[in-house]
Amino acid sequence: MAGKDIIMASQRELKRLHIAQKVIEGAVRQAEAAEMLLLSDRQMRRIVGRVRGEGHRGVVHRSRGRESNRKYPEELKGRVTELYRQNYEGFGPTLGQEKLLERDGISISDETLRLWLIEAGLWKKRRKGRQHRQWRPRR
């Protein structure tokens, strides 16, 4: 698998990896490395152990690339956008969310609905323009 070779890492993780490798090589002591990264000695020991065991992947956060536990199911998203398209076409996200709760018993936030509608192309992001202030000449 080609995807397994590519590792996405933040600057912070790259710095941790670099310093952990210096500890493994013996160029820096663990206590000094922990001080550099503003970590405890114990945490530095854990990072070094992980890098020894897993290599570069040892510093990358375990949750990277996984879906959120709080994510709504795709079926619900499709159902909501279809209901909005059929019944609530002219409504804004706030009113649409209230009607979904009232009539269909679907409880989602208005922001979630707004994002789903923008993604489906049913709602456009609009900013209210400020009224132009006319300049008045001096008396």
Side-chain angles (χ1 to χ4, degrees):
M1 283 189 162
K4 292 288 184 185
D5 297 339
I6 299 171
I7 299 172
M8 296 291 292
S10 66
Q11 284 295 119
R12 184 173 159 214
E13 290 167 342
L14 289 173
K15 185 177 179 182
R16 282 183 174 197
L17 176 64
H18 179 70
I19 292 176
Q21 285 176 336
K22 282 190 172 192
V23 170
I24 291 169
E25 293 166 3
V28 180
R29 289 188 6 248
Q30 278 187 353
E32 293 168 354
E35 215 171 286
M36 284 185 219
L37 293 174
L38 303 174
L39 298 172
S40 67
D41 294 346
R42 175 78 183 111
Q43 184 66 24
M44 194 64 223
R45 252 182 272 138
R46 289 173 54 197
I47 290 171
V48 169
R50 267 237 206 96
V51 170
R52 276 191 183 124
E54 301 174 26
H56 301 307
R57 293 190 197 290
V59 292
V60 178
H61 198 279
R62 298 276 195 254
S63 296
R64 176 143 324 129
R66 292 180 56 199
E67 287 187 350
S68 169
N69 291 332
R70 298 175 56 90
K71 185 177 180 182
Y72 286 107
E74 286 296 321
E75 301 85 46
L76 177 68
K77 186 176 176 180
R79 187 166 152 237
V80 164
T81 52
E82 194 56 40
L83 280 169
Y84 181 87
R85 189 176 284 125
Q86 290 171 357
N87 303 329
Y88 313 118
E89 187 70 42
F91 294 9
T94 306
L95 182 60
Q97 176 264 331
E98 290 172 5
K99 292 300 176 183
L100 279 168
L101 180 61
E102 181 183 311
R103 293 181 182 174
D104 304 308
I106 298 173
S107 176
I108 58 170
S109 73
D110 56 336
E111 275 302 302
T112 302
L113 179 61
R114 186 180 71 78
L115 292 172
W116 288 355
L117 294 178
I118 289 171
E119 189 179 305
L122 299 172
W123 184 254
K124 298 272 188 255
K125 291 191 254 185
R126 286 185 232 132
R127 285 185 178 238
K128 292 184 179 176
R130 292 186 184 163
Q131 191 173 7
H132 180 68
R133 183 182 171 280
Q134 287 291 324
W135 181 77
R136 176 185 62 80
R138 282 200 184 120
R139 291 184 183 168

